[in-house]
Amino acid sequence: MKLKLGIDPDIVAMMAAEVKAGEKAVTAAMREAGTGLKTAWRGQIAQAGLGRRLANSIRSQTFPKAGESLNAAALVWSKAPVIIGAHDTGPLIRSKDGFWLAIPTEAAGKGLKGGRITPGEWERRRGLRLRFVYRRTGPSLLVAEGRLNSRGLGVASRSKTGRGRTTVPIFLLVPQVKLPKRLDLGRDAERALDSVPGLIVARWVEG
């Protein structure tokens, strides 16, 4: 008995076509999952009131950057990972020096770059000295002897008689602050991961 094994060229072509379809389906699915996760994270951040700029720090990229592969992957990340991570985990923040955290009141105003002003910067800009006021209940204070201007900011009093001068709370002093957890990025990541098999099957059938 003589046996002969032959391979139909059409079968080889069909297998190659299926591999190509698989590469296309997996790559498209990962791109869609990555883009969907980026959109979901941006939406979460915006809805949490953290601003469009921070929301737009979320980026996505599909690999390989060119071509298609059965091993395609999607990466979603933030260009501001420290800020995003803090709002995602809700950490306990303590002073790095082991003393107080100075939380500016509305009377303190903003820093030169629009950020949170520090006690040192406030004193330099206002020309006033801050005075420590210890309170047994509630946060202690850094106060200034001055007045509130029309914008509600603590400034030096121009009165020579002391009229209108008052003690203005400029900073609240606390030993630590628990940042509220405002994001749940893991929830959206799990949803994106769970959607991948269905996306691959759908793209394979379409292809």
Side-chain angles (χ1 to χ4, degrees), residues 49-60:
L50 298 175
R52 179 54 58 185
R53 183 176 179 180
L54 189 60
N56 288 340
S57 74
I58 302 298
R59 305 297 173 86
S60 67

Side-chain angles (χ1 to χ4, degrees), residues 134-164:
Y134 174 75
R135 298 198 299 177
R136 295 182 62 183
T137 58
S140 295
L141 305 171
L142 286 178
V143 303
E145 303 301 326
R147 64 182 178 87
L148 291 175
N149 66 11
S150 60
R151 294 185 295 163
L153 301 177
V155 295
S157 174
R158 299 190 184 95
S159 174
K160 295 181 180 180
T161 63
R163 184 180 179 183

Side-chain angles (χ1 to χ4, degrees), residues 21-180:
E23 292 174 340
K24 183 178 180 181
V26 172
T27 303
M30 295 309 300
R31 182 180 297 110
E32 184 173 345
T35 300
L37 181 57
K38 177 183 70 175
T39 301
W41 279 5
R42 285 185 173 184
Q44 252 201 83
I45 294 167
Q47 290 173 10
L50 298 175
R52 179 54 58 185
R53 183 176 179 180
L54 189 60
N56 288 340
S57 74
I58 302 298
R59 305 297 173 86
S60 67
Q61 177 66 60
T62 304
F63 298 93
K65 293 182 178 181
E68 297 162 337
S69 171
L70 290 174
N71 295 317
L75 175 64
V76 182
W77 76 97
S78 170
K79 296 184 71 175
V82 175
I83 299 174
I84 294 293
H87 288 294
D88 188 41
T89 59
L92 185 66
I93 301 175
R94 295 186 176 91
S95 169
K96 63 181 181 180
D97 299 319
F99 296 106
W100 302 96
L101 287 173
I103 311 299
T105 65
E106 291 186 4
K110 298 291 185 180
L112 287 175
K113 297 182 179 180
R116 179 173 291 179
I117 194 169
T118 65
E121 181 185 350
W122 191 92
E123 288 185 330
R124 289 192 299 271
R125 292 177 61 187
R126 296 289 187 265
L128 291 173
R129 296 291 296 175
L130 292 168
R131 177 168 57 86
F132 175 74
V133 176
Y134 174 75
R135 298 198 299 177
R136 295 182 62 183
T137 58
S140 295
L141 305 171
L142 286 178
V143 303
E145 303 301 326
R147 64 182 178 87
L148 291 175
N149 66 11
S150 60
R151 294 185 295 163
L153 301 177
V155 295
S157 174
R158 299 190 184 95
S159 174
K160 295 181 180 180
T161 63
R163 184 180 179 183
R165 184 178 298 171
T166 186
T167 300
V168 182
I170 305 299
F171 291 91
L172 305 178
L173 298 177
V174 294
Q176 60 189 29
V177 172
K178 182 68 168 66
L179 191 68

